[in-house]
């Protein structure tokens, strides 16, 4: 499979979640950690950088009885899926992870074994924020989904949908109120 992205390699895994999407989800989950961020794209005041290595860092040091937000590098999501499952099991830390909507890949199969919920984001693709310009960029080649690990036992994984525009509009209203 050829990589059709025009993004330079050093920026390929540094795209930021659209802030209104994060804000809408934060209203539900009350995140306590951005588990894969940099000072330039962190969406929460507590975050784990690449240098700190979220795959090696105990999330329980940052989160007690709550959720971490994770928009992992799309080039290799499997270790992040495994980490979220481990944190749920060992430290009772929940996680909401934003990933490309591709149910044909191995990491997705692994995720549904341990996740509480999958939410398909319907109605369009997200415009992520460029690490180069700080502006939203359209043309995402895939839709998106959320994989959710609740910090408590939940049984088998449930599948739901959420409308992209409703999420965006709700997040924008929350941001306007806070301004």
């Amino acid at each position: 499979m050829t990589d059709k992205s025009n993004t330079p390699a050093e920026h390929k895994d540094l795209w930021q979640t659209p802030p209104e999407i994060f804000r809408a989800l934060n209203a539900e989950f009350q995140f306590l950690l951005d588990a894969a961020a940099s000072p330039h794209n962190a969406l929460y005041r507590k975050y784990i950088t690449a240098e700190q290595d979220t795959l090696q860092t105990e999330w329980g040091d940052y989160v007690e009885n709550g959720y971490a937000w994770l928009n992992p590098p799309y080039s290799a999501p499997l270790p992040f899926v495994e980490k979220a499952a481990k944190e749920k099991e060992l430290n009772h830390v929940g996680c909401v992870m934003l990933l490309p909507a591709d149910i044909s890949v191995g990491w997705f199969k692994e995720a549904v074994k341990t996740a509480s919920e999958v939410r398909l984001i319907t109605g369009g693709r997200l415009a992520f924020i460029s690490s180069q310009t700080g502006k939203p960029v359209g043309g995402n080649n895939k839709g998106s989904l959320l994989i959710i690990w609740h910090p408590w036992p939940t049984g088998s994984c449930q599948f739901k949908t959420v409308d992209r525009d409703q999420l965006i509009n709700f997040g924008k209203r929350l941001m306007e109120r806070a301004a």
Side-chain angles (χ1 to χ4, degrees):
M1 183 171 161
T2 359
D3 183 4
K4 296 179 180 170
S5 173
N6 294 323
T7 305
E10 66 271 14
H11 293 280
K12 201 169 276 299
D13 285 331
L14 300 177
W15 293 86
Q16 183 187 42
T17 304
E20 58 275 5
I21 296 292
F22 175 81
R23 194 61 84 93
L25 294 167
N26 190 47
E28 178 179 358
F29 294 100
Q30 299 296 302
F31 298 115
L32 300 172
L33 174 68
D34 188 339
S38 72
H40 308 298
N41 68 12
L43 292 167
Y44 188 73
R45 61 184 165 79
K46 289 183 187 175
Y47 57 92
I48 299 173
T49 65
E51 293 76 30
Q52 292 169 304
D53 191 355
T54 198
L55 299 175
Q56 300 301 317
T57 299
E58 293 290 327
W59 296 356
D61 293 345
Y62 296 86
V63 177
E64 186 177 330
N65 299 319
Y67 290 89
W69 167 254
L70 185 57
N71 177 0
Y74 283 12
S75 63
L78 180 60
F80 297 88
V81 166
E82 293 169 339
K83 175 65 171 177
K86 178 182 170 189
E87 288 294 330
K88 173 187 174 161
E89 184 66 29
L90 297 179
N91 295 319
H92 308 289
V93 173
C95 181
V96 178
M97 191 178 298
L98 179 63
L99 288 162
D102 188 349
I103 63 170
S104 68
V105 293
W107 61 257
F108 183 83
K109 182 178 178 181
E110 287 303 310
V112 296
K113 289 179 185 177
T114 58
S116 308
E117 183 181 332
V118 171
R119 287 187 198 171
L120 300 169
I121 300 175
T122 61
R125 297 175 181 166
L126 299 181
F128 287 87
I129 309 302
S130 168
S131 65
Q132 296 172 281
T133 67
K135 299 193 181 314
V137 176
N140 193 356
N141 65 355
K142 282 193 171 96
S144 299
L145 57 77
L146 299 163
I147 300 181
I148 302 162
W149 288 264
H150 293 303
W152 58 84
T154 56
S156 63
C157 187
Q158 303 293 309
F159 284 74
K160 298 179 180 180
T161 61
V162 62
D163 183 77
R164 179 200 65 174
D165 294 339
Q166 287 179 344
L167 268 179
I168 289 171
N169 290 334
F170 181 63
K172 282 181 181 177
R173 284 194 308 272
L174 292 173
M175 291 169 71
E176 288 167 2
R177 280 190 208 157

PDB file of all heavy atoms in Angstrom, residues 47-75:
ATOM      1  N   TYR A  47      -0.224  15.955  30.447  1.00  0.00           N
ATOM      2  CA  TYR A  47      -0.023  15.175  29.232  1.00  0.00           C
ATOM      3  C   TYR A  47       1.306  14.440  29.308  1.00  0.00           C
ATOM      4  O   TYR A  47       2.190  14.785  30.081  1.00  0.00           O
ATOM      5  CB  TYR A  47      -0.098  16.048  27.980  1.00  0.00           C
ATOM      6  CG  TYR A  47       0.876  17.191  27.946  1.00  0.00           C
ATOM      7  CD1 TYR A  47       2.128  17.049  27.348  1.00  0.00           C
ATOM      8  CD2 TYR A  47       0.552  18.428  28.493  1.00  0.00           C
ATOM      9  CE1 TYR A  47       3.025  18.103  27.309  1.00  0.00           C
ATOM     10  CE2 TYR A  47       1.437  19.486  28.460  1.00  0.00           C
ATOM     11  CZ  TYR A  47       2.670  19.316  27.868  1.00  0.00           C
ATOM     12  OH  TYR A  47       3.560  20.363  27.829  1.00  0.00           O
ATOM     13  N   ILE A  48       1.387  13.392  28.476  1.00  0.00           N
ATOM     14  CA  ILE A  48       2.602  12.583  28.386  1.00  0.00           C
ATOM     15  C   ILE A  48       3.205  12.819  27.011  1.00  0.00           C
ATOM     16  O   ILE A  48       2.529  12.648  25.992  1.00  0.00           O
ATOM     17  CB  ILE A  48       2.291  11.083  28.604  1.00  0.00           C
ATOM     18  CG1 ILE A  48       1.701  10.866  30.002  1.00  0.00           C
ATOM     19  CG2 ILE A  48       3.550  10.248  28.413  1.00  0.00           C
ATOM     20  CD1 ILE A  48       1.200   9.463  30.250  1.00  0.00           C
ATOM     21  N   THR A  49       4.469  13.208  26.979  1.00  0.00           N
ATOM     22  CA  THR A  49       5.160  13.495  25.717  1.00  0.00           C
ATOM     23  C   THR A  49       5.792  12.232  25.139  1.00  0.00           C
ATOM     24  O   THR A  49       5.903  11.212  25.818  1.00  0.00           O
ATOM     25  CB  THR A  49       6.273  14.534  25.936  1.00  0.00           C
ATOM     26  OG1 THR A  49       7.263  13.953  26.785  1.00  0.00           O
ATOM     27  CG2 THR A  49       5.732  15.822  26.536  1.00  0.00           C
ATOM     28  N   ALA A  50       6.235  12.332  23.903  1.00  0.00           N
ATOM     29  CA  ALA A  50       6.937  11.214  23.263  1.00  0.00           C
ATOM     30  C   ALA A  50       8.185  10.853  24.051  1.00  0.00           C
ATOM     31  O   ALA A  50       8.520   9.674  24.190  1.00  0.00           O
ATOM     32  CB  ALA A  50       7.287  11.574  21.820  1.00  0.00           C
ATOM     33  N   GLU A  51       8.863  11.856  24.594  1.00  0.00           N
ATOM     34  CA  GLU A  51      10.083  11.599  25.370  1.00  0.00           C
ATOM     35  C   GLU A  51       9.766  10.847  26.669  1.00  0.00           C
ATOM     36  O   GLU A  51      10.558  10.029  27.126  1.00  0.00           O
ATOM     37  CB  GLU A  51      10.796  12.913  25.699  1.00  0.00           C
ATOM     38  CG  GLU A  51      11.361  13.637  24.488  1.00  0.00           C
ATOM     39  CD  GLU A  51      10.285  14.362  23.660  1.00  0.00           C
ATOM     40  OE1 GLU A  51       9.264  14.801  24.215  1.00  0.00           O
ATOM     41  OE2 GLU A  51      10.480  14.449  22.430  1.00  0.00           O
ATOM     42  N   GLN A  52       8.608  11.114  27.248  1.00  0.00           N
ATOM     43  CA  GLN A  52       8.198  10.396  28.458  1.00  0.00           C
ATOM     44  C   GLN A  52       7.700   8.988  28.124  1.00  0.00           C
ATOM     45  O   GLN A  52       7.666   8.145  29.005  1.00  0.00           O
ATOM     46  CB  GLN A  52       7.093  11.173  29.180  1.00  0.00           C
ATOM     47  CG  GLN A  52       7.581  12.469  29.772  1.00  0.00           C
ATOM     48  CD  GLN A  52       6.418  13.332  30.232  1.00  0.00           C
ATOM     49  OE1 GLN A  52       5.515  13.649  29.459  1.00  0.00           O
ATOM     50  NE2 GLN A  52       6.454  13.722  31.496  1.00  0.00           N
ATOM     51  N   ASP A  53       7.300   8.763  26.902  1.00  0.00           N
ATOM     52  CA  ASP A  53       6.870   7.473  26.374  1.00  0.00           C
ATOM     53  C   ASP A  53       5.646   6.908  27.094  1.00  0.00           C
ATOM     54  O   ASP A  53       5.761   6.173  28.072  1.00  0.00           O
ATOM     55  CB  ASP A  53       8.019   6.462  26.405  1.00  0.00           C
ATOM     56  CG  ASP A  53       7.690   5.204  25.612  1.00  0.00           C
ATOM     57  OD1 ASP A  53       6.563   5.049  25.115  1.00  0.00           O
ATOM     58  OD2 ASP A  53       8.593   4.356  25.501  1.00  0.00           O
ATOM     59  N   THR A  54       4.504   7.229  26.581  1.00  0.00           N
ATOM     60  CA  THR A  54       3.243   6.781  27.180  1.00  0.00           C
ATOM     61  C   THR A  54       3.132   5.266  27.264  1.00  0.00           C
ATOM     62  O   THR A  54       2.428   4.736  28.117  1.00  0.00           O
ATOM     63  CB  THR A  54       2.029   7.375  26.435  1.00  0.00           C
ATOM     64  OG1 THR A  54       0.882   7.270  27.271  1.00  0.00           O
ATOM     65  CG2 THR A  54       1.774   6.684  25.111  1.00  0.00           C
ATOM     66  N   LEU A  55       3.857   4.558  26.392  1.00  0.00           N
ATOM     67  CA  LEU A  55       3.798   3.092  26.420  1.00  0.00           C
ATOM     68  C   LEU A  55       4.536   2.527  27.636  1.00  0.00           C
ATOM     69  O   LEU A  55       4.284   1.395  28.041  1.00  0.00           O
ATOM     70  CB  LEU A  55       4.366   2.510  25.128  1.00  0.00           C
ATOM     71  CG  LEU A  55       3.624   2.910  23.852  1.00  0.00           C
ATOM     72  CD1 LEU A  55       4.350   2.380  22.618  1.00  0.00           C
ATOM     73  CD2 LEU A  55       2.180   2.439  23.883  1.00  0.00           C
ATOM     74  N   GLN A  56       5.443   3.313  28.215  1.00  0.00           N
ATOM     75  CA  GLN A  56       6.200   2.883  29.389  1.00  0.00           C
ATOM     76  C   GLN A  56       5.745   3.561  30.680  1.00  0.00           C
ATOM     77  O   GLN A  56       6.072   3.115  31.766  1.00  0.00           O
ATOM     78  CB  GLN A  56       7.698   3.153  29.175  1.00  0.00           C
ATOM     79  CG  GLN A  56       8.296   2.436  27.975  1.00  0.00           C
ATOM     80  CD  GLN A  56       8.135   0.929  28.071  1.00  0.00           C
ATOM     81  OE1 GLN A  56       8.331   0.325  29.113  1.00  0.00           O
ATOM     82  NE2 GLN A  56       7.735   0.320  26.960  1.00  0.00           N
ATOM     83  N   THR A  57       4.999   4.637  30.561  1.00  0.00           N
ATOM     84  CA  THR A  57       4.567   5.417  31.718  1.00  0.00           C
ATOM     85  C   THR A  57       3.271   4.841  32.289  1.00  0.00           C
ATOM     86  O   THR A  57       2.358   4.503  31.542  1.00  0.00           O
ATOM     87  CB  THR A  57       4.333   6.888  31.307  1.00  0.00           C
ATOM     88  OG1 THR A  57       5.571   7.417  30.822  1.00  0.00           O
ATOM     89  CG2 THR A  57       3.852   7.726  32.470  1.00  0.00           C
ATOM     90  N   GLU A  58       3.203   4.746  33.604  1.00  0.00           N
ATOM     91  CA  GLU A  58       1.975   4.303  34.276  1.00  0.00           C
ATOM     92  C   GLU A  58       0.970   5.448  34.249  1.00  0.00           C
ATOM     93  O   GLU A  58       1.211   6.507  34.837  1.00  0.00           O
ATOM     94  CB  GLU A  58       2.270   3.906  35.732  1.00  0.00           C
ATOM     95  CG  GLU A  58       3.141   2.687  35.874  1.00  0.00           C
ATOM     96  CD  GLU A  58       2.440   1.394  35.474  1.00  0.00           C
ATOM     97  OE1 GLU A  58       1.205   1.279  35.681  1.00  0.00           O
ATOM     98  OE2 GLU A  58       3.131   0.507  34.950  1.00  0.00           O
ATOM     99  N   TRP A  59      -0.160   5.252  33.603  1.00  0.00           N
ATOM    100  CA  TRP A  59      -1.180   6.283  33.548  1.00  0.00           C
ATOM    101  C   TRP A  59      -1.812   6.506  34.919  1.00  0.00           C
ATOM    102  O   TRP A  59      -2.331   7.579  35.193  1.00  0.00           O
ATOM    103  CB  TRP A  59      -2.255   5.937  32.534  1.00  0.00           C
ATOM    104  CG  TRP A  59      -1.768   5.872  31.118  1.00  0.00           C
ATOM    105  CD1 TRP A  59      -0.521   6.154  30.635  1.00  0.00           C
ATOM    106  CD2 TRP A  59      -2.533   5.489  29.992  1.00  0.00           C
ATOM    107  NE1 TRP A  59      -0.472   5.973  29.279  1.00  0.00           N
ATOM    108  CE2 TRP A  59      -1.702   5.546  28.855  1.00  0.00           C
ATOM    109  CE3 TRP A  59      -3.848   5.075  29.815  1.00  0.00           C
ATOM    110  CZ2 TRP A  59      -2.140   5.229  27.577  1.00  0.00           C
ATOM    111  CZ3 TRP A  59      -4.295   4.751  28.550  1.00  0.00           C
ATOM    112  CH2 TRP A  59      -3.451   4.843  27.437  1.00  0.00           C
ATOM    113  N   GLY A  60      -1.767   5.489  35.767  1.00  0.00           N
ATOM    114  CA  GLY A  60      -2.306   5.608  37.111  1.00  0.00           C
ATOM    115  C   GLY A  60      -1.606   6.676  37.932  1.00  0.00           C
ATOM    116  O   GLY A  60      -2.147   7.154  38.928  1.00  0.00           O
ATOM    117  N   ASP A  61      -0.395   7.074  37.516  1.00  0.00           N
ATOM    118  CA  ASP A  61       0.300   8.179  38.183  1.00  0.00           C
ATOM    119  C   ASP A  61      -0.387   9.516  37.909  1.00  0.00           C
ATOM    120  O   ASP A  61      -0.162  10.487  38.621  1.00  0.00           O
ATOM    121  CB  ASP A  61       1.762   8.265  37.726  1.00  0.00           C
ATOM    122  CG  ASP A  61       2.588   7.064  38.173  1.00  0.00           C
ATOM    123  OD1 ASP A  61       2.132   6.301  39.054  1.00  0.00           O
ATOM    124  OD2 ASP A  61       3.699   6.888  37.629  1.00  0.00           O
ATOM    125  N   TYR A  62      -1.195   9.576  36.848  1.00  0.00           N
ATOM    126  CA  TYR A  62      -1.866  10.801  36.432  1.00  0.00           C
ATOM    127  C   TYR A  62      -3.384  10.745  36.630  1.00  0.00           C
ATOM    128  O   TYR A  62      -4.032  11.774  36.731  1.00  0.00           O
ATOM    129  CB  TYR A  62      -1.625  11.070  34.940  1.00  0.00           C
ATOM    130  CG  TYR A  62      -0.199  11.314  34.574  1.00  0.00           C
ATOM    131  CD1 TYR A  62       0.659  10.259  34.282  1.00  0.00           C
ATOM    132  CD2 TYR A  62       0.293  12.602  34.471  1.00  0.00           C
ATOM    133  CE1 TYR A  62       1.977  10.491  33.919  1.00  0.00           C
ATOM    134  CE2 TYR A  62       1.607  12.843  34.109  1.00  0.00           C
ATOM    135  CZ  TYR A  62       2.443  11.773  33.839  1.00  0.00           C
ATOM    136  OH  TYR A  62       3.748  12.002  33.480  1.00  0.00           O
ATOM    137  N   VAL A  63      -3.946   9.535  36.577  1.00  0.00           N
ATOM    138  CA  VAL A  63      -5.396   9.360  36.565  1.00  0.00           C
ATOM    139  C   VAL A  63      -5.815   8.434  37.693  1.00  0.00           C
ATOM    140  O   VAL A  63      -5.283   7.333  37.816  1.00  0.00           O
ATOM    141  CB  VAL A  63      -5.860   8.745  35.218  1.00  0.00           C
ATOM    142  CG1 VAL A  63      -7.356   8.501  35.226  1.00  0.00           C
ATOM    143  CG2 VAL A  63      -5.453   9.611  34.048  1.00  0.00           C
ATOM    144  N   GLU A  64      -6.771   8.904  38.481  1.00  0.00           N
ATOM    145  CA  GLU A  64      -7.378   8.043  39.486  1.00  0.00           C
ATOM    146  C   GLU A  64      -8.882   8.087  39.267  1.00  0.00           C
ATOM    147  O   GLU A  64      -9.493   9.161  39.288  1.00  0.00           O
ATOM    148  CB  GLU A  64      -7.030   8.529  40.893  1.00  0.00           C
ATOM    149  CG  GLU A  64      -7.525   7.596  41.967  1.00  0.00           C
ATOM    150  CD  GLU A  64      -7.115   8.044  43.351  1.00  0.00           C
ATOM    151  OE1 GLU A  64      -6.054   8.688  43.490  1.00  0.00           O
ATOM    152  OE2 GLU A  64      -7.862   7.767  44.284  1.00  0.00           O
ATOM    153  N   ASN A  65      -9.466   6.935  38.991  1.00  0.00           N
ATOM    154  CA  ASN A  65     -10.915   6.853  38.764  1.00  0.00           C
ATOM    155  C   ASN A  65     -11.379   7.780  37.652  1.00  0.00           C
ATOM    156  O   ASN A  65     -12.242   8.623  37.848  1.00  0.00           O
ATOM    157  CB  ASN A  65     -11.686   7.175  40.054  1.00  0.00           C
ATOM    158  CG  ASN A  65     -11.355   6.210  41.155  1.00  0.00           C
ATOM    159  OD1 ASN A  65     -11.227   5.018  40.919  1.00  0.00           O
ATOM    160  ND2 ASN A  65     -11.184   6.730  42.355  1.00  0.00           N
ATOM    161  N   GLY A  66     -10.782   7.645  36.493  1.00  0.00           N
ATOM    162  CA  GLY A  66     -11.194   8.493  35.387  1.00  0.00           C
ATOM    163  C   GLY A  66     -10.620   8.038  34.068  1.00  0.00           C
ATOM    164  O   GLY A  66     -10.234   6.879  33.912  1.00  0.00           O
ATOM    165  N   TYR A  67     -10.546   8.992  33.140  1.00  0.00           N
ATOM    166  CA  TYR A  67     -10.208   8.694  31.749  1.00  0.00           C
ATOM    167  C   TYR A  67      -9.000   9.474  31.245  1.00  0.00           C
ATOM    168  O   TYR A  67      -8.810  10.636  31.593  1.00  0.00           O
ATOM    169  CB  TYR A  67     -11.388   9.063  30.832  1.00  0.00           C
ATOM    170  CG  TYR A  67     -12.572   8.166  30.991  1.00  0.00           C
ATOM    171  CD1 TYR A  67     -13.551   8.461  31.935  1.00  0.00           C
ATOM    172  CD2 TYR A  67     -12.730   7.038  30.203  1.00  0.00           C
ATOM    173  CE1 TYR A  67     -14.658   7.640  32.086  1.00  0.00           C
ATOM    174  CE2 TYR A  67     -13.831   6.218  30.349  1.00  0.00           C
ATOM    175  CZ  TYR A  67     -14.791   6.521  31.286  1.00  0.00           C
ATOM    176  OH  TYR A  67     -15.885   5.708  31.438  1.00  0.00           O
ATOM    177  N   ALA A  68      -8.273   8.808  30.380  1.00  0.00           N
ATOM    178  CA  ALA A  68      -7.224   9.451  29.590  1.00  0.00           C
ATOM    179  C   ALA A  68      -7.761   9.635  28.176  1.00  0.00           C
ATOM    180  O   ALA A  68      -8.522   8.802  27.672  1.00  0.00           O
ATOM    181  CB  ALA A  68      -5.977   8.574  29.555  1.00  0.00           C
ATOM    182  N   TRP A  69      -7.356  10.717  27.545  1.00  0.00           N
ATOM    183  CA  TRP A  69      -7.629  10.958  26.124  1.00  0.00           C
ATOM    184  C   TRP A  69      -6.408  10.499  25.349  1.00  0.00           C
ATOM    185  O   TRP A  69      -5.274  10.720  25.780  1.00  0.00           O
ATOM    186  CB  TRP A  69      -7.870  12.440  25.866  1.00  0.00           C
ATOM    187  CG  TRP A  69      -7.850  12.764  24.396  1.00  0.00           C
ATOM    188  CD1 TRP A  69      -6.861  13.399  23.708  1.00  0.00           C
ATOM    189  CD2 TRP A  69      -8.856  12.432  23.447  1.00  0.00           C
ATOM    190  NE1 TRP A  69      -7.204  13.493  22.391  1.00  0.00           N
ATOM    191  CE2 TRP A  69      -8.428  12.895  22.197  1.00  0.00           C
ATOM    192  CE3 TRP A  69     -10.085  11.782  23.531  1.00  0.00           C
ATOM    193  CZ2 TRP A  69      -9.181  12.740  21.047  1.00  0.00           C
ATOM    194  CZ3 TRP A  69     -10.834  11.634  22.372  1.00  0.00           C
ATOM    195  CH2 TRP A  69     -10.389  12.111  21.153  1.00  0.00           C
ATOM    196  N   LEU A  70      -6.620   9.866  24.194  1.00  0.00           N
ATOM    197  CA  LEU A  70      -5.478   9.406  23.402  1.00  0.00           C
ATOM    198  C   LEU A  70      -5.795   9.473  21.917  1.00  0.00           C
ATOM    199  O   LEU A  70      -6.694   8.797  21.433  1.00  0.00           O
ATOM    200  CB  LEU A  70      -5.102   7.980  23.805  1.00  0.00           C
ATOM    201  CG  LEU A  70      -3.859   7.373  23.180  1.00  0.00           C
ATOM    202  CD1 LEU A  70      -2.622   8.217  23.430  1.00  0.00           C
ATOM    203  CD2 LEU A  70      -3.632   5.972  23.716  1.00  0.00           C
ATOM    204  N   ASN A  71      -5.055  10.322  21.224  1.00  0.00           N
ATOM    205  CA  ASN A  71      -5.062  10.374  19.767  1.00  0.00           C
ATOM    206  C   ASN A  71      -3.667   9.874  19.388  1.00  0.00           C
ATOM    207  O   ASN A  71      -2.729  10.655  19.275  1.00  0.00           O
ATOM    208  CB  ASN A  71      -5.306  11.808  19.283  1.00  0.00           C
ATOM    209  CG  ASN A  71      -5.258  11.931  17.778  1.00  0.00           C
ATOM    210  OD1 ASN A  71      -5.046  10.961  17.058  1.00  0.00           O
ATOM    211  ND2 ASN A  71      -5.442  13.142  17.291  1.00  0.00           N
ATOM    212  N   PRO A  72      -3.522   8.542  19.233  1.00  0.00           N
ATOM    213  CA  PRO A  72      -2.183   7.973  19.040  1.00  0.00           C
ATOM    214  C   PRO A  72      -1.650   8.197  17.629  1.00  0.00           C
ATOM    215  O   PRO A  72      -2.412   8.544  16.723  1.00  0.00           O
ATOM    216  CB  PRO A  72      -2.418   6.478  19.279  1.00  0.00           C
ATOM    217  CG  PRO A  72      -3.800   6.253  18.780  1.00  0.00           C
ATOM    218  CD  PRO A  72      -4.559   7.515  19.162  1.00  0.00           C
ATOM    219  N   PRO A  73      -0.369   7.975  17.449  1.00  0.00           N
ATOM    220  CA  PRO A  73       0.179   8.015  16.084  1.00  0.00           C
ATOM    221  C   PRO A  73      -0.526   6.968  15.218  1.00  0.00           C
ATOM    222  O   PRO A  73      -0.596   5.802  15.596  1.00  0.00           O
ATOM    223  CB  PRO A  73       1.653   7.653  16.280  1.00  0.00           C
ATOM    224  CG  PRO A  73       1.932   7.907  17.721  1.00  0.00           C
ATOM    225  CD  PRO A  73       0.651   7.670  18.446  1.00  0.00           C
ATOM    226  N   TYR A  74      -1.067   7.395  14.107  1.00  0.00           N
ATOM    227  CA  TYR A  74      -1.806   6.477  13.241  1.00  0.00           C
ATOM    228  C   TYR A  74      -0.893   5.507  12.502  1.00  0.00           C
ATOM    229  O   TYR A  74      -1.344   4.534  11.950  1.00  0.00           O
ATOM    230  CB  TYR A  74      -2.649   7.261  12.244  1.00  0.00           C
ATOM    231  CG  TYR A  74      -3.915   7.853  12.825  1.00  0.00           C
ATOM    232  CD1 TYR A  74      -4.130   7.902  14.199  1.00  0.00           C
ATOM    233  CD2 TYR A  74      -4.891   8.368  11.993  1.00  0.00           C
ATOM    234  CE1 TYR A  74      -5.290   8.454  14.727  1.00  0.00           C
ATOM    235  CE2 TYR A  74      -6.058   8.923  12.508  1.00  0.00           C
ATOM    236  CZ  TYR A  74      -6.245   8.954  13.869  1.00  0.00           C
ATOM    237  OH  TYR A  74      -7.398   9.491  14.377  1.00  0.00           O
ATOM    238  N   SER A  75       0.402   5.771  12.505  1.00  0.00           N
ATOM    239  CA  SER A  75       1.332   4.884  11.797  1.00  0.00           C
ATOM    240  C   SER A  75       1.491   3.541  12.502  1.00  0.00           C
ATOM    241  O   SER A  75       1.858   2.563  11.861  1.00  0.00           O
ATOM    242  CB  SER A  75       2.697   5.551  11.660  1.00  0.00           C
ATOM    243  OG  SER A  75       3.256   5.777  12.943  1.00  0.00           O
TER     244      SER A  75
END
